[in-house]
Amino acid sequence: MSHPHLPKPGKRLPISTYRLQLNENFTCRDAIGVLDYLVALGVTDIYLSPILQAAPGSKHGYDVVDHRHVSRQIGGRKAFEELASAAHEAGLGVIVDVVPNHMAVPTPVWHSRAMWSVLKRGLESEYANWFDVEVNEPILMPILGARIGQVLAAGELELVKMRVPTEPDRGQQWVLRYFDHVFPVAEGTESLPLEVLVERQHYRLAHWKVASEELNYRRFFDVGSLAGIRVELPEVFNATHALLLELFNAGFIDAFRVDHPDGLADPRGYFRALSEATGGAWIVAEKILEANEQMPSDWPVSGTTGYDTAWRLNALNVNQSAALSLGAVMAQVSGDSPSSYRQIVREAKAQIIDTSLAAEVRRLGNVIWNSCLEDFRLRDHTFRGLITCLRTLIIQMDRYRAYVVPSESAPALSRAVVQEAAARAKKELPEDLSDTMDVIVALVLGDEIGSAGNYESAAQKAEVLVRFQQVCGAVMAKGVEDTAFYRWTHLLSLTEVGSDPSQFGISVDEMHRHAAYIAAQWPATMTCGSTHDTKRGEDVRARLNTIASFPDKWSNLVADLREASNSYRPRDLDGRIEYILWQTLVGTWSDAGPISFDRLEGYLLKAAREQKTWTSWIDTAASREKRMTEFARNVLKDPAVRELVLCWREETAECTKAAILSTKTLQLTMPGVADIYQGTEMVGTSLVDPDNRRPVDFDARKKSLERLLSGWAPENIDEEKLDLVRRILALRAKLPNVFVSAESDYAALPVSTSHALAFSRGVGTPQVVVIAARTFANKDNWHSHTVGIPEGEWASIFHDQKVCGGVRPLSEVLGNSTVEILVRTELT
């Protein structure tokens, strides 16, 4: 049966994927070395980080500098083809991550042939249309450590000759060198006095602080070293995707995952181009869906990368009744009210608009203002009024963007999203700006406004429509996920990519509704637990969810920890950071003990700087940061703290184990293609990047898997999770249509308690039954609760138990376990 969100016939459909992060420390040849392990584990496809040539020293590959070559650091094209061939010989598909939104502005710039050419030749460059930049004015390069006058006076800018590696045929050429930075010199300007020469280039060297106010190219969020490219232009799409499509057509790549499509001018148009170029391959989009937002149905993709399911599975194991008591603990330590989340979000977005993304907002404001100035009927709207309205509207947008395309009527949903945001914004604005807000709303929705037939401003109006959506996404990402999520400490497991922390847990019914919707509309979407972008690994979140299962014990623990550390706590320790520390301590404390001080220090510094309240990446409070990290060091060394945490771990061990195994079971059996982030088949302690990109001990995992496959019982929670994962993956591989197909059904099964959920999967008839306890369940009364199992005889995938269909006591089905998966006996 055909389905609009499945790959076309003949194209590969993954059943389960395993993410591998390629870099100079884990190359394609290293990846070949783990293929046997992955086959034994049961995955069907490997999912690789970006493979194109990245900037020097890149650990992740998202900073592409050259689309014509496979990264030398991972082994180059030959090594990649060998990896793909070996994977295919082992029966594994190959999925590759694509980065269409931006390219790196590397140091030195010549690593990017395209950017070097534009900086050297301006409008005459063959790459002049590649970058989303005002090429008719000097491109701002904010890399100087001081103002340009001071740099020149200090003699730090040198005019020298060198052979540029990306242009070897040009021989020795003149360049400007500033420490590690190298910039091209426009032909014919090399003989000018240095001050004049600098002024005559196609770029403007400037102090790094100028970026937030005057940058004239679109960035990846607020990262000045990642410049947006205009992939909406066919020539740019073709050039930047030529090698990937060549490898796809040659059979080395089977499918694609697309990074950050919301940064594109036209995401739908991009996916249509990619789908057409691949003949309908399996493509998923890294789309962050807010709250009840749904994926645009007219995108020719198979779904998202799974954050929409991940946050719901996490919230499912959060005891909703603990919201008030944990809110009281937060208020005591951080000073934040349990009802203040929305205000924190608004404040964070406003700060981002006024600081790191001020240049983007001002650029959009200028386009709106110029559009109004050129229209007789709109010219009385002042720049200040327009900026005020624009700023307030962006703050009130509740999602990354509304999908409106120039020359097309705005969809009803997009119109409602913008108009509702405008209605909220108007409540915060003076009444005389109401009509100014109406103008902006009309512009960003592509409605007729002003003088009919004013073709002079049509291009500007189209630009307003596109840039508004791009700016909204950037502000959402930086303001919410990279700022507010570090300020809101109610329960850290809820501050995750794609999550809605204002929802303190969700019900079983909500989970069933989401799963049924996915099964019907997006059967081949991804489900994930951890990714390279998650704020915390899945097992850290699971440990944190246990806090909500024991709110009173947690309140006492925090009080005891604060008392134990009172003698060495800095007087200026930020309350939010302190509460983040206590939660992170229990969230990462494994059987091996706490994480290292180096890891904890790196995380706390990132968290504090991302908060942007008392320190930041731009304006660091070094001495106060040092006091904070010294406090963390003392906490790790304090025997009283250790005793308190060990007591907590002992009292909550069963619940924590349930959280880890239950969440993973559901993630691997929910509708969609199940993804495993490298290493997470065992219990982990990973935090936000770069912590989650640490090397994986594949040898240890291979040895444990061999033990399990030879019949040995798991020895610890690590092996219990590994055993669970490998058994479910084997089931998925054996019954692929049950888990990923248009015919596969998802049906909620009746359970007499909300402390567990059950569902069936199958084609035409139930073939697999999944039962999972929620982590705050009291299993003492399991015998008095029941689950309805479809008629027939069923066998457990974990042990030799057989179960007959009908209404059964939970205690009979689950026994001492947290989860159970049953398969019809005729299928075993």
Side-chain angles (χ1 to χ4, degrees):
M1 180 187 297
S2 63
H3 191 286
H5 299 301
L6 284 174
K8 294 288 192 253
K11 301 300 180 183
R12 186 173 181 89
L13 175 59
I15 305 302
S16 60
T17 61
Y18 192 98
R19 165 74 176 203
L20 290 173
Q21 178 65 61
L22 300 177
N23 53 47
E24 61 188 1
N25 298 317
F26 189 82
T27 66
C28 290
R29 288 187 171 83
D30 294 318
I32 290 175
V34 305
L35 293 181
D36 288 345
Y37 164 74
L38 297 181
V39 170
L41 184 62
V43 297
T44 65
D45 293 70
I46 57 173
Y47 154 35
L48 305 176
S49 59
I51 64 171
L52 299 182
Q53 184 60 55
S58 175
K59 300 299 182 184
H60 46 74
Y62 291 91
D63 43 1
V64 176
V65 294
D66 190 345
H67 296 86
R68 302 169 303 157
H69 301 289
V70 173
S71 170
R72 293 185 298 275
Q73 284 72 25
I74 67 172
R77 178 168 179 165
K78 184 173 185 294
F80 169 73
E81 291 182 353
E82 290 173 353
L83 167 60
S85 296
H88 288 147
E89 288 174 11
L92 298 170
V94 178
I95 302 164
V96 168
D97 210 336
V98 187
V99 189
N101 176 64
H102 54 267
M103 286 181 67
V105 183
T107 303
V109 179
W110 51 255
H111 282 288
S112 172
R113 188 165 178 263
M115 179 59 80
W116 180 270
S117 173
V118 172
L119 294 183
K120 183 168 186 174
R121 300 174 183 87
L123 286 169
E124 296 180 359
S125 168
E126 61 183 302
Y127 301 99
N129 291 330
W130 273 43
F131 297 95
D132 194 351
V133 63
E134 304 294 342
V135 193
N136 57 348
E137 62 183 52
I139 301 171
L140 189 70
M141 290 284 111
I143 53 87
L144 301 180
R147 292 178 173 83
I148 182 66
Q150 296 168 321
V151 169
L152 288 170
E156 294 172 344
L157 197 58
E158 300 177 280
L159 179 67
V160 298
K161 264 193 167 184
M162 68 170 288
R163 183 184 295 272
V164 177
T166 51
E167 295 184 337
D169 53 312
R170 294 180 179 270
Q172 294 281 322
Q173 55 180 293
W174 290 103
V175 299
L176 282 171
R177 184 184 296 278
Y178 176 74
F179 297 101
D180 293 337
H181 294 274
V182 179
F183 291 93
V185 172
E187 293 182 8
T189 65
E190 61 274 5
S191 299
L192 297 171
L194 188 57
E195 287 192 18
V196 180
L197 181 150
V198 170
E199 188 69 14
R200 295 285 181 86
Q201 302 311 307
H202 296 290
Y203 54 89
R204 172 192 161 195
L205 297 179
H207 188 214
W208 62 271
K209 287 189 176 182
V210 174
S212 62
E213 295 187 35
E214 299 183 35
L215 201 68
N216 55 0
Y217 62 83
R218 181 174 59 83
R219 301 171 286 178
F220 173 68
F221 299 149
D222 62 353
V223 183
S225 60
L226 296 175
I229 57 175
R230 303 183 64 195
V231 75
E232 66 272 16
L233 300 178
E235 62 269 28
V236 179
F237 175 90
N238 293 334
T240 55
H241 288 68
L243 176 57
L244 292 174
L245 292 173
E246 180 184 337
L247 292 168
F248 175 85
N249 290 326
F252 293 107
I253 296 174
D254 300 297
F256 292 104
R257 177 264 193 196
V258 176
D259 180 65
H260 188 52
D262 275 341
L264 303 176
D266 180 11
R268 185 192 65 185
Y270 170 80
F271 284 118
R272 285 178 174 175
L274 184 60
S275 181
E276 182 178 352
T278 60
W282 184 79
I283 299 167
V284 288
E286 189 212 18
K287 171 71 186 114
I288 309 300
L289 297 167
E290 299 296 329
N292 295 316
E293 182 184 4
Q294 294 181 354
M295 189 78 161
S297 61
D298 57 355
W299 286 11
V301 298
S302 291
T304 74
T305 49
Y307 291 120
D308 49 334
T309 296
W311 85 259
R312 287 175 171 86
L313 290 177
N314 180 72
L316 182 68
N317 274 322
V318 173
N319 183 7
Q320 292 175 287
S321 66
L324 286 178
S325 53
L326 293 187
V329 181
M330 174 182 65
Q332 183 179 19
V333 182
S334 73
D336 290 320
S337 163
S339 61
S340 62
Y341 174 70
R342 294 300 179 194
Q343 181 60 29
I344 286 175
V345 167
R346 288 192 293 270
E347 290 172 355
K349 292 176 76 173
Q351 182 175 345
I352 290 298
I353 288 172
D354 295 339
T355 55
S356 61
L357 290 175
E360 279 78 1
V361 176
R362 184 175 289 107
R363 186 181 181 190
L364 172 58
N366 277 321
V367 179
I368 293 174
W369 190 42
N370 289 330
S371 183
C372 288
L373 286 177
E374 292 181 4
D375 192 314
F376 177 80
R377 296 178 182 271
L378 302 178
R379 63 179 54 167
D380 283 351
H381 293 281
T382 67
F383 180 75
R384 179 179 296 181
L386 288 165
I387 286 290
T388 299
C389 289
L390 177 63
R391 178 182 181 275
T392 312
L393 178 61
I394 294 172
I395 291 171
Q396 291 296 337
M397 285 289 290
D398 65 355
R399 59 197 65 194
Y400 268 62
R401 63 187 287 168
Y403 296 97
V404 186
V405 179
S407 76
E408 294 185 14
S409 297
L413 179 58
S414 301
R415 183 172 297 278
V417 166
V418 174
Q419 290 177 338
E420 288 169 10
R424 293 190 294 269
K426 283 183 178 182
K427 295 178 181 179
E428 300 182 8
L429 294 170
E431 189 175 343
D432 65 346
L433 288 180
S434 180
D435 60 336
T436 301
M437 178 63 78
D438 291 340
V439 169
I440 291 179
V441 168
L443 288 172
V444 301
L445 289 176
D447 292 343
E448 189 70 44
I449 186 75
S451 304
N454 185 358
Y455 299 109
E456 290 79 4
S457 64
Q460 283 186 328
K461 289 179 178 177
E463 185 178 2
V464 169
L465 189 152
V466 170
R467 292 205 183 283
F468 173 76
Q469 297 181 82
Q470 292 174 320
V471 170
C472 280
V475 171
M476 194 76 179
K478 297 306 297 181
V480 180
E481 291 174 9
D482 289 348
T483 304
F485 278 11
Y486 287 95
R487 297 179 182 180
W488 185 247
T489 59
H490 197 181
L491 185 63
L492 295 186
S493 57
L494 297 178
T495 52
E496 189 50 81
V497 179
S499 295
D500 181 7
S502 67
Q503 291 192 48
F504 198 90
I506 66 170
S507 68
V508 170
D509 288 343
E510 288 176 275
M511 190 71 246
H512 283 317
R513 281 195 294 271
H514 172 75
Y517 163 75
I518 292 296
Q521 302 298 324
W522 303 95
T525 190
M526 253 186 173
T527 70
C528 68
S530 304
T531 75
H532 60 282
D533 280 332
T534 43
K535 304 296 185 188
R536 292 160 197 86
E538 58 198 56
D539 302 317
V540 176
R541 297 198 304 274
R543 292 190 193 94
L544 289 170
N545 287 342
T546 305
I547 291 172
S549 300
F550 300 93
D552 294 335
K553 287 182 185 293
W554 174 252
S555 178
N556 293 333
L557 174 63
V558 172
D560 292 342
L561 288 169
R562 300 193 80 199
E563 182 178 354
S565 60
N566 185 57
S567 62
Y568 53 84
R569 182 189 299 110
R571 296 180 66 180
D572 61 356
L573 181 65
D574 177 77
R576 288 167 172 167
I577 281 294
E578 182 187 353
Y579 200 33
I580 285 175
L581 169 60
W582 297 133
Q583 291 189 57
T584 301
L585 199 64
V586 300
T588 57
W589 199 301
S590 66
D591 291 345
I595 60 174
S596 69
F597 170 69
D598 288 344
R599 289 180 60 200
L600 183 59
E601 177 187 41
Y603 172 71
L604 290 176
L605 286 172
K606 179 165 185 170
R609 292 172 183 175
E610 295 285 26
Q611 282 181 348
K612 306 171 189 71
T613 51
W614 57 273
T615 188
S616 68
W617 296 106
I618 293 176
D619 188 12
T620 57
S623 59
R624 191 174 174 187
E625 285 185 350
K626 183 173 177 57
R627 289 191 291 275
M628 173 191 71
T629 57
E630 279 304 307
F631 176 68
R633 185 193 297 274
N634 289 328
V635 163
L636 289 180
K637 294 190 301 183
D638 191 334
V641 168
R642 174 178 288 271
E643 186 63 29
L644 287 167
V645 176
L646 289 177
C647 182
W648 165 266
R649 280 178 50 78
E650 183 178 350
E651 292 177 340
T652 61
E654 183 179 351
C655 185
T656 299
K657 177 180 172 180
I660 290 171
L661 300 182
S662 170
T663 305
K664 197 62 185 174
T665 297
L666 294 174
Q667 186 246 317
L668 296 179
T669 55
M670 281 281 163
V673 177
D675 177 53
I676 297 173
Y677 182 68
Q678 56 180 24
T680 59
E681 64 272 26
M682 279 188 167
V683 179
T685 61
S686 290
L687 296 166
V688 72
D689 69 286
D691 190 72
N692 59 18
R693 293 193 176 105
R694 289 171 295 119
V696 176
D697 188 348
F698 282 107
D699 288 338
R701 284 160 174 76
K702 183 177 181 180
K703 290 176 183 176
S704 289
L705 182 60
E706 288 173 348
R707 273 179 25 83
L708 296 171
L709 290 172
S710 65
W712 288 87
E715 292 186 339
N716 49 45
I717 183 63
D718 274 343
E719 290 193 346
E720 284 190 67
K721 185 179 182 185
L722 178 62
D723 191 51
L724 179 144
V725 169
R726 65 102 178 173
R727 289 178 185 272
I728 296 177
L729 292 182
L731 179 64
R732 293 180 67 92
K734 182 178 181 180
L735 304 173
N737 288 341
V738 169
F739 293 96
V740 187
S741 73
E743 296 81 18
S744 178
D745 295 321
Y746 175 97
L749 298 179
V751 183
S752 64
T753 172
S754 63
H755 287 173
L757 79 161
F759 58 86
S760 66
R761 306 292 312 277
V763 177
T765 184
Q767 293 166 285
V768 174
V769 167
V770 179
I771 307 166
R774 299 171 79 183
T775 58
F776 46 89
N778 179 3
K779 290 167 51 175
D780 294 341
N781 62 354
W782 246 206
H783 63 279
S784 63
H785 287 292
T786 58
V787 56
I789 299 174
E791 292 301 320
E793 187 178 52
W794 301 83
S796 170
I797 71 167
F798 299 120
H799 40 75
D800 294 332
Q801 179 184 3
K802 295 286 196 303
V803 177
C804 290
V807 178
R808 298 294 175 194
L810 275 172
S811 57
E812 174 189 322
V813 179
L814 288 178
N816 294 323
S817 300
T818 301
V819 299
E820 182 59 275
I821 298 179
L822 305 172
V823 184
R824 284 197 180 276
T825 52
E826 60 264 32
L827 298 175
T828 58

